[in-house]
Amino acid sequence: MTKTMIRTNNQITLVGRAVKIKEFGKDVASITVALDNGRDKNGNEIKDTFVDVKCFEPKVYGKMKPGMLVMVTA
């Protein structure tokens, strides 16, 4: 009997507004991204989802300000 390995490649893309930006040093930052969930079928607004993201590219988060539209791919 042979064992079969199943590999999956999952990718997620988030588009939202930067809410909080905290630097943890020269190379790492934590960014909270607010995702707009839109409205339900009755037209009621659904609460936003907040996602904490670690960023390891100083060129990117150095220019980021709260309220900016961001796209995160992981």
Side-chain angles (χ1 to χ4, degrees):
M1 181 182 250
T2 60
K3 291 185 179 182
T4 304
M5 268 183 106
I6 298 174
R7 289 187 150 184
T8 60
N9 293 325
N10 297 321
Q11 183 174 353
I12 185 168
T13 301
L14 305 173
V15 178
R17 300 269 174 196
V19 179
K20 294 180 188 174
I21 303 164
K22 292 183 181 178
E23 285 188 46
F24 291 117
K26 277 186 158 183
D27 299 332
V28 182
S30 174
I31 302 165
T32 301
V33 180
L35 306 174
D36 181 11
N37 291 321
R39 298 181 179 274
D40 64 13
K41 62 183 177 181
N42 297 325
N44 300 319
E45 192 171 314
I46 302 171
K47 289 186 178 183
D48 292 344
T49 301
F50 295 91
V51 180
D52 292 325
V53 178
K54 293 266 194 273
C55 180
F56 297 96
E57 182 57 53
K59 293 177 187 174
V60 174
Y61 68 76
K63 298 177 182 179
M64 197 174 299
K65 294 184 174 133
M68 288 182 73
L69 186 64
V70 296
M71 180 173 73
V72 178
T73 304

